[in-house]
């Protein structure tokens, strides 16, 4: 016997149970799910922390340093061109 042949009786049982008692199963699951959702939303799935366990947060304040000096901008100096009149497009 292989896997599908072994679980076939289980599937038949579940099909018959759902066919006969499906309404009752549905209403039971609805009534069970309401407290379950409330328990989950109230923090039921979170792990409980023991009173001895403390979480430490370490804050390190670093001294403020002035920002670095920006590099010089190339081509901004007016003395890089040797025009006497200061107008490079004079006609």
């Amino acid at each position: 016997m292989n896997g599908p042949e072994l679980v076939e009786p289980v599937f038949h049982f579940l099909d018959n149970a759902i066919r006969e008692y499906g309404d009752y199963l549905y209403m039971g699951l609805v009534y069970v799910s309401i407290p379950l959702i409330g328990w989950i939303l109230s923090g039921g799935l979170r792990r409980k922390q023991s009173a001895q366990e403390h979480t430490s947060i370490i804050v390190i304040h670093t001294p403020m340093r002035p920002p670095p000096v920006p590099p010089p901008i190339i081509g901004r100096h007016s003395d890089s061109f040797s025009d006497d009149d200061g107008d490079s497009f004079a006609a």
Side-chain angles (χ1 to χ4, degrees), residues 6-23 25-26 29:
L6 289 174
V7 294
E8 190 173 340
V10 175
F11 288 145
H12 286 297
F13 169 76
L14 289 175
D15 285 339
N16 289 332
I18 291 172
R19 186 179 305 118
E20 297 294 324
Y21 304 107
D23 296 337
L25 290 171
Y26 176 75
L29 290 174

